[in-house]
Amino acid sequence: MRFHAFRDFEDGTIIDGLGFDIVVHRRSVGTINLPSGQLIACDPLHALDTEPFALNLEPGQYPVHLLVAELRDERRNAYAVVRVGEGPVRRWEPAEMSLPAANSDQPDAPRPSLLDTLDEDPGYPVDSSLGAFMDATTAGALIDYHQIVMPEDNDFERLLLARLRKRRRAGAGYGTLDLRRDLKLPMPEGLNLIAFDAGFGPGHYPTYVGLDDDGQVVNVVTDFQVLDLRFPSFPLPAATSLDEFE
C-alpha cells in the first residue's frame, strides 16, 4: 500500500510538480459539529450508511479546511482536513472504520472483521464526485429523512448541490448544510455536514489519522490523490527513508 504523507501547506505555497508550478490554496470551510464524537467521511449522496471511523474523539466542534491545488487552468481539492488537536503530527496511520453492528435478526451470526470491511487501501468510495465529513448522528438523521421524503421533495440534495455550484465559480466546490436551519428538521441545534468536490471525481479516496507524541489525534485527512507527491509533515530521523512509507 502506498502511503502519501501529508503536509499542511500554508496558503499560497508554490510547489514544483508534474512539470509545472502548483499553487496550493488553503481554504477554511467551516466547523463540523460532532455531538457523538463519531466522525464519518463518505459520499453524502450515495453512502450515508458508511460506518464511522474507529476514533475516540471528544464530542464538540472542529474546524475543517481544504487544500486546493491550482493546476494550470483548473483548481482541484487535494486534501480535506478535520483539525482535532494542536501541536505537530509525529506519525500517520490509516483511518480504520468501526466494525458494523451485529445483525439483530441473526444475533448468533459472526461479525465481519476489518479485513472483510476494508479495501486494500483505507478510505471510502465516491460515486457522486462528492465527499463529506459529518457526525454519525447527522448521517442517521439524513437516512431517516430520505426514508420519509418523496424524491421530488428531496431538499437535501437540491440545496447541497446548489451551494457547491456557487462555490465552483471561484474554483473547487464545497458547501455546508445544517439539518435544522436548512432542512427544517426537528433536530438538535448544530447538526451539520461539510461536503466538497472530491479530487478528479469518482474514485476511492484514503483517509489517514495524524497522531502526536502521546498518540492523540491531531488531524484526520482525506487524500484526493491530486498531488502525486509525498510531503512529510514531520521531521524524519536521519536514518529514515521515504521508502518506508511504501
Side-chain angles (χ1 to χ4, degrees):
M1 179 182 68
R2 178 178 291 276
F3 176 73
H4 291 260
F6 167 73
R7 173 179 165 188
D8 205 359
F9 293 101
E10 295 295 329
D11 185 44
T13 299
I14 299 176
I15 59 177
D16 181 17
L18 307 177
F20 56 90
D21 287 343
I22 300 171
V23 183
V24 180
H25 302 276
R26 183 187 177 97
R27 296 288 179 262
S28 176
V29 296
T31 301
I32 192 72
N33 190 23
L34 301 179
S36 73
Q38 294 182 290
L39 175 66
I40 289 176
C42 69
D43 182 329
L45 300 185
H46 294 295
L48 289 169
D49 58 350
T50 299
E51 295 295 326
F53 294 118
L55 300 173
N56 295 318
L57 302 181
E58 289 291 332
Q61 296 182 332
Y62 297 97
V64 177
H65 65 267
L66 297 172
L67 294 177
V68 184
E70 184 175 345
L71 308 168
R72 289 183 174 172
D73 58 350
E74 65 177 351
R75 295 187 179 189
R76 298 282 179 174
N77 290 328
Y79 300 101
V81 184
V82 180
R83 182 71 174 180
V84 177
E86 301 297 330
V89 172
R90 296 303 183 188
R91 71 177 191 274
W92 293 93
E93 294 181 355
E96 295 182 340
M97 294 180 182
S98 301
L99 289 171
N103 190 331
S104 59
D105 296 330
Q106 299 179 354
D108 296 329
R111 297 175 69 193
S113 69
L114 281 172
L115 292 177
D116 297 324
T117 58
L118 293 176
D119 292 321
E120 180 180 353
D121 290 327
Y124 60 94
V126 168
D127 295 322
S128 71
S129 297
L130 300 181
F133 290 129
M134 69 187 76
D135 187 81
T137 306
T138 303
L142 285 171
I143 290 172
D144 292 342
Y145 171 82
H146 282 84
Q147 290 177 342
I148 63 175
V149 71
M150 299 297 290
E152 60 270 19
D153 298 324
N154 188 345
D155 287 335
F156 167 69
E157 183 171 339
R158 178 180 59 82
L159 287 173
L160 186 62
L161 293 178
R163 293 187 178 183
L164 270 84
R165 282 195 297 269
K166 182 178 179 180
R167 295 289 184 181
R168 288 185 188 126
R169 297 171 188 169
Y174 65 88
T176 301
L177 210 62
D178 184 282
L179 271 58
R180 183 183 181 96
R181 183 181 65 246
D182 298 320
L183 294 181
K184 312 303 180 186
L185 297 182
M187 301 297 295
E189 193 74 28
L191 286 185
N192 69 336
L193 64 91
I194 297 178
F196 26 77
D197 288 330
F200 290 103
H204 186 95
Y205 297 110
T207 300
Y208 299 102
V209 181
L211 305 172
D212 63 15
D213 287 323
D214 298 322
Q216 299 300 306
V217 178
V218 177
N219 285 333
V220 180
V221 180
T222 295
D223 179 2
F224 290 119
Q225 301 174 334
V226 171
L227 300 177
D228 190 17
L229 304 164
R230 283 171 292 170
F231 298 100
S233 62
F234 51 91
L236 294 176
T240 301
S241 167
L242 283 177
D243 293 339
E244 294 186 13
F245 291 104
E246 296 290 330

